[in-house]
Amino acid sequence: MDKKLNKGVFITFEGIDGCGKSVQSRRLAAYLQKKGYKCRLTFEPGDCALGEELRRVLLKSPAGSLSARTEALLFATARAQHVDEVIIPALKRGEIVICDRFIDSTIAYQGAGRGLDIKFLQALNAFATDGLEPDLTFVLRVSVATSLGRRKQDFDRIEEEGKVFFSLIADAYSLLAEQNPQRIKVIDGEADEDKVFAQICQKLEPFLASEGE
Ligand code: TMP
């Protein structure tokens, strides 16, 4: 039987490349569906026709071929279309939307990583999302060494960046979590997959209880 929520719920997963968020977001969607919730699992950049095109440009273009400003605008463009085409309609249907990366990725990667102005990126995010923010965000924290060790060998344009870049991004996620303690929950991503998932469920249960039935 379908479980009822008072309204759609928007959950995002964040962290440096190789933190395990894609595995955990898939696992959470399957778990919630089994419990009877209607779920829409999605990701950025991508999951709509324009988003897929832009994902290819953003990740497959040769190193050095996109300026930082171009990169930020393309992520924002993909986000605007994804919000309008996928996220908002699912939330309006009362579903739980689970999104692998969202606004915090732009602050961490284009802000801390590329050195673009954070205030501008916040305004750009607000424009791209039309003000939509996640209800809950899980940041999976792993060391840069773990992240590098877990990644496959055929790196995309962003994964090619070095240790310093990823350390800046990891620090930015910690700062975002400090600044948004209500929304952002930090999860120890170094633990094994089951333990990471247990931490996520523990933080999610009280939140869903307050949203539902
Ligand atoms: P993924 O590998 O988790 O699918 O994410 C694609 C890459 O894009 C990842 O290296 C992070 C990066 N990214 C940004 O730099 N800014 C953004 O706003 C988003 C959504 C992703």
Side-chain angles (χ1 to χ4, degrees):
M1 203 178 61
D2 284 350
K3 293 227 176 164
K4 286 267 178 299
L5 290 165
N6 297 328
K7 60 176 180 57
V9 170
F10 186 25
I11 300 171
T12 58
F13 277 81
E14 295 278 358
I16 60 176
D17 292 74
C19 69
K21 64 184 173 36
S22 304
V23 169
Q24 295 295 336
S25 53
R26 278 199 295 273
R27 196 163 164 174
L28 183 62
Y31 168 82
L32 290 173
Q33 268 156 359
K34 222 171 167 184
K35 286 189 120 192
Y37 291 103
K38 286 224 161 81
C39 253
R40 176 66 162 89
L41 176 62
T42 186
F43 61 93
E44 290 200 353
D47 207 17
C48 59
L50 180 68
E52 292 299 337
E53 287 278 318
L54 294 178
R55 183 181 182 88
R56 192 182 45 73
V57 172
L58 280 159
L59 301 185
K60 300 295 173 206
S61 294
S65 61
L66 299 180
S67 76
R69 282 167 24 256
T70 305
E71 184 182 282
L73 291 170
L74 290 177
F75 277 117
T77 305
R79 178 161 305 134
Q81 192 61 31
H82 183 230
V83 163
D84 289 352
E85 215 176 300
V86 176
I87 300 178
I88 295 282
L91 291 174
K92 281 194 175 148
R93 292 192 299 267
E95 297 177 12
I96 299 179
V97 176
I98 299 176
C99 191
D100 183 346
R101 295 199 181 282
F102 197 59
I103 49 173
D104 301 306
S105 285
T106 294
I107 303 299
Y109 281 75
Q110 281 64 57
R114 302 295 194 208
L116 295 181
D117 183 71
I118 302 285
K119 282 218 156 34
F120 174 76
L121 292 174
Q122 286 167 337
L124 184 65
N125 270 339
F127 182 71
T129 62
D130 206 14
L132 176 72
E133 288 195 0
D135 297 301
L136 190 63
T137 297
F138 294 110
V139 168
L140 270 57
R141 184 181 278 161
V142 294
S143 70
V144 174
T146 299
S147 134
L148 290 172
R150 279 183 187 171
R151 280 190 242 153
K152 56 191 186 311
Q153 282 314 302
D154 54 334
F155 291 168
D156 64 39
R157 191 181 58 84
I158 293 177
E159 285 171 327
E160 270 169 12
E161 296 290 340
K163 277 189 191 161
V164 174
F165 182 79
F166 287 103
S167 303
L168 290 170
I169 291 164
D171 291 349
Y173 276 124
S174 298
L175 185 63
L176 279 165
E178 264 172 44
Q179 290 168 338
N180 300 276
Q182 279 296 107
R183 170 172 73 85
I184 301 183
K185 309 294 173 198
V186 178
I187 302 291
D188 171 17
E190 298 278 345
D192 71 45
E193 222 183 279
D194 289 349
K195 287 204 178 117
V196 173
F197 189 62
Q199 291 176 66
I200 291 168
C201 290
Q202 196 195 12
K203 304 242 189 252
L204 184 70
E205 298 295 348
F207 174 81
L208 277 188
S210 71
E211 294 286 317
E213 307 291 276

